[in-house]
Amino acid sequence: VQLQASGGGLVKAGDSLRLSCAASGRTPSTMAWFRQAPGKEREFVAGINFSGVRKDYLDSVKGRFIISRGNSQNTVYLQMNELSPEDTAVYYCAGKPQAGISVSATNYYYWGQGTQVTVSS
């Protein structure tokens, strides 16, 4: 399984961005987005199950970010609205074959390359 992330960029506070993560090979049952800011640990941002019905979010992004799956299930999106400088980080998509959204990065087997999101004030 390979994951390819895209969609990062430089935006201003209050703007929106949409990240995409395309999986090739066997589609992971559970997919998620993590982020890592300079000097900080990688943290869970959002996760989604295979059907797209169950979702989980980091508290600080609830109401602003939306995770979703494409119709073919092998693409996951992260719609990020009302971005703030605190959202600046490298964002990574991750996947695992088992069901069950986990907030721990160690539970994910597959990782895409990071995509930089920078939000200026």
Side-chain angles (χ1 to χ4, degrees):
V1 176
Q2 291 186 332
L3 304 180
Q4 180 73 37
S6 61
L10 171 63
V11 296
K12 296 180 180 178
D15 284 352
S16 299
L17 271 179
R18 189 175 83 155
L19 305 182
S20 300
C21 177
S24 59
R26 188 169 185 173
T27 300
S29 177
T30 304
M31 295 187 72
W33 288 95
F34 287 76
R35 67 186 181 188
Q36 188 165 18
K40 295 187 177 181
E41 293 188 354
R42 191 169 297 189
E43 67 175 353
F44 172 86
V45 176
I48 190 167
N49 71 342
F50 186 82
S51 68
V53 172
R54 184 167 182 177
K55 304 174 185 180
D56 196 9
Y57 295 94
L58 178 69
D59 283 347
S60 64
V61 308
K62 286 180 181 177
R64 300 188 299 122
F65 290 12
I66 301 171
I67 189 169
S68 62
R69 281 201 189 244
N71 291 334
S72 63
Q73 308 302 102
N74 67 344
T75 303
V76 173
Y77 304 99
L78 185 67
Q79 177 67 42
M80 304 186 295
N81 303 316
E82 300 176 33
L83 285 161
S84 73
E86 290 69 35
D87 297 314
T88 294
V90 178
Y91 284 70
Y92 298 90
C93 64
K96 62 186 184 79
Q98 305 93 346
I101 299 169
S102 172
V103 301
S104 175
T106 59
N107 288 331
Y108 289 83
Y109 291 5
Y110 313 115
W111 290 88
Q113 87 291 1
T115 185
Q116 177 71 46
V117 172
T118 304
V119 185
S120 63
S121 58

